[in-house]
Amino acid sequence: MAEHNAQLPNSYLKGPVVVFGTGLLGTSIGLGLSQRGLRVLLSDPSPSALSVAVDIGAGIPLGTDPGVWPELVVVAAPPDVCARVVADALERFPAAFVVDVASVKGAILRELAELSAKTPLDLSRYVGTHPMAGRERAGAVSARGELFNAMPWVVCPHAGSSAAAVQAAQNLGLDLGAVLSQFSPEEHDEAVALVSHLPQMMASLVAARLQDAAPHALSLAGNGLRDVTRIAASDASMWVPIMSANAEPIAAILHAVHEDLIKLIGTLDGPAAPGASLAMAKLISAGNAGQARIPGKHGGPAQPYAWLSVLVDDEPGQIAQLLTEIGEIGVNLEDLRLDHSSGRNAGIVEISVLPAKRDVLIDELAVRGWKVLQ
Amino acid sequence: MAEHNAQLPNSYLKGPVVVFGTGLLGTSIGLGLSQRGLRVLLSDPSPSALSVAVDIGAGIPLGTDPGVWPELVVVAAPPDVCARVVADALERFPAAFVVDVASVKGAILRELAELSAKTPLDLSRYVGTHPMAGRERAGAVSARGELFNAMPWVVCPHAGSSAAAVQAAQNLGLDLGAVLSQFSPEEHDEAVALVSHLPQMMASLVAARLQDAAPHALSLAGNGLRDVTRIAASDASMWVPIMSANAEPIAAILHAVHEDLIKLIGTLDGPAAPGASLAMAKLISAGNAGQARIPGKHGGPAQPYAWLSVLVDDEPGQIAQLLTEIGEIGVNLEDLRLDHSSGRNAGIVEISVLPAKRDVLIDELAVRGWKVLQ
């Protein structure tokens, strides 16, 4: 850390950093690094997107100055053009490390290997990464320097990545306040197929069934349906490239789901048959076991939180007051949900706390006049 | 309403009310009606369950007194014994209306028709109902008189239900503060298969895939996976009877899901084939369209809420302070989530508000020193 300039906030990277692509991710990276005091140069095929990124302070235009010698080039381009931009960056900046931030890794690496077979590339300087911090709004205008703060940033070196390139990729995540982890590209793609792409596919499949439902039926929708289908609102233009690029790992998991689904349909077609009840119980239990493995808050082991529900008037002040009093009681809130399955102007706040704190909290809230439902 | 005793809170029912089954639902009904000033008599095959319900004030034991003439009998027994208890109640109390509160309706009605074919029953006095207000904890000890407050209560008359019986079933829901709706038993079973049983099946299928996942992979789990699998934690002993009793409508929907899944797998098996990208986009778009149909808060039409995220320290006081200030700014909170995909002791609060309020709120929060991520 001897290189740190005492006049600037500490940073792991020294810069300059070139960012190709000034969409949400690229602009947020530029903003975050600029706020650290690093020199950032920006490039985008769209002059207007570039202007917005420059105007909000994410960096200055890269231009065609041949005298730029960046420490690191960040490629924040869509998955289907990413490999080509990485290849160009490796050629144009022969002393720079190059990372990309696309949400699939194997497909990009395969395409780079193909490009390198035609015109040899120094792929030792390349490391794929995946910051897991998308937002619902896209574009430079939605960028925030804090976008990656406290969010996972997966560094995925390939077999030929140099140690120095890996360090540069890690430094990028550290400078943006992210939480680092390291996967091989194959491990990464299988992991996101399971924890990100599978839920998206299943949420879309459930939500697709609602298209032709009677409004009457939908009036019975509760938080279960809302939870399962929330991500079904995601944008097709974001998902199609991901599905294309990670098709094989996603399909492998869906084949396994398909087998389970066929078994379930067979069971439901003869619910009174011997063994049918056991088969149903086994599916629900398998779900219990899998769900319990999802890590808890702060990456720790899953905690069996205890829930309680409090009835409040439908006013923001009410919920704030409730949380203030929970703080006064000295109980730490682990999770919180609002329940809108109601047809009235009253809401239910579901609160989860450590199991040992549940009864204390129920008693204290009741003393303070709150309507605790359970 | 002329019958109302001025000394007691108004009630729609006059009582007495007999409740068969002192689990969570039956005891909560007893508590709620007792709190309205109604006379409630309780019965349960388990003497200890009955004692708990009596001790917490849900009513007095029914005993064998032949002189009881209830206005209404509420059967709060599991779905697989419900019809027999309803039949016994119709015989034992020839002047009473009888309702059940099981979460499936067609199977109970079919079993009652079979019982009536052997020993004729006056089914005009019977109406099935479904209060949609389960809790994660079962048993009389978890009961609350407010359990049904502001929650949906579906009244499902069969073709032979008398108008007076339907009125009694409605009065029960009204006295417990629930929001009434009316479905035929078939409509009800198809609706809950779609909005409740389908999401449960799909959540369990997704979560089951996590059983053998590498811990490394699960460390990348975000809110998408958490949302989709949350209800996979539900209890098999609750779900097996529901799946058995509503097997046909659930299977019908799963057959349609199966067709979509087969198409999706076919597309992913050849992601570069002509039309593959369009097929992927169509699935995501179908999910968008279905998800958008889920009714909004308070049963109104779905509102396209706008989300923003605020970075907070992981302390309950922080979130309360944030909500207090949102109240001061005068913006109504539509939904709120805590984001735990973090590995740090900082949290992200996702807030949804009406779209027109989003920019105002972002500006005001920033002025007050909050770190708004988008």
Side-chain angles (χ1 to χ4, degrees), chain A residues 135 137 144 309 373-374, chain B residues 135 144 309 340 373-374:
Chain A
R135 308 303 318 158
R137 288 197 166 186
R144 294 286 184 277
S309 300
L373 301 186
Q374 194 208 135
Chain B
R135 306 306 315 162
R144 294 285 183 279
S309 300
H340 298 321
L373 301 186
Q374 194 209 143

Side-chain angles (χ1 to χ4, degrees), chain A residues 65-105:
Chain A
D65 179 1
V68 176
W69 290 89
E71 176 192 12
L72 178 69
V73 177
V74 179
V75 176
D80 47 349
V81 299
C82 186
R84 188 162 293 276
V85 182
V86 169
D88 289 347
L90 287 168
E91 289 190 326
R92 177 169 171 187
F93 302 107
F97 302 115
V98 179
V99 305
D100 76 301
V101 295
S103 55
V104 291
K105 300 274 66 93

Side-chain angles (χ1 to χ4, degrees), chain B residues 4-18:
Chain B
H4 285 143
N5 182 329
Q7 304 308 115
L8 296 174
N10 285 348
S11 67
Y12 292 87
L13 290 169
K14 283 171 282 185
V17 176
V18 167

Side-chain angles (χ1 to χ4, degrees), chain A residues 275-339:
Chain A
S277 291
L278 180 60
M280 293 177 203
K282 277 187 174 169
L283 171 67
I284 303 293
S285 297
N288 294 165
Q291 199 267 352
R293 295 193 67 214
I294 300 175
K297 201 172 166 182
H298 311 315
Q303 288 257 19
Y305 295 129
W307 289 83
L308 59 137
S309 300
V310 183
L311 193 70
V312 297
D313 295 338
D314 188 22
E315 291 167 19
Q318 276 271 305
I319 300 173
Q321 181 62 30
L322 173 64
L323 299 192
T324 300
E325 296 194 16
I326 291 172
E328 287 168 6
I329 294 166
V331 171
N332 202 33
L333 193 68
E334 300 296 336
D335 205 350
L336 183 150
R337 304 293 312 272
L338 303 188
D339 190 330

Side-chain angles (χ1 to χ4, degrees), chain A residues 316-329 331-333 336 370, chain B residues 310 312-328 333 336 338 349 351 365 368 370:
Chain A
Q318 276 271 305
I319 300 173
Q321 181 62 30
L322 173 64
L323 299 192
T324 300
E325 296 194 16
I326 291 172
E328 287 168 6
I329 294 166
V331 171
N332 202 33
L333 193 68
L336 183 150
W370 292 96
Chain B
V310 183
V312 297
D313 296 338
D314 188 22
E315 290 167 21
Q318 276 272 305
I319 300 171
Q321 181 62 31
L322 173 64
L323 299 193
T324 300
E325 297 194 16
I326 290 172
E328 287 167 6
L333 194 67
L336 183 151
L338 302 187
V349 181
I351 290 163
L365 287 175
R368 287 160 179 258
W370 292 97

Side-chain angles (χ1 to χ4, degrees), chain A residues 160-191:
Chain A
S161 297
S162 73
V166 175
Q167 185 63 57
Q170 290 170 341
N171 287 347
L172 173 64
L174 291 172
D175 275 341
L176 294 168
V179 181
L180 297 179
S181 64
Q182 189 161 321
F183 283 64
S184 75
E186 301 73 28
E187 280 175 337
H188 168 273
D189 286 356
E190 284 175 16

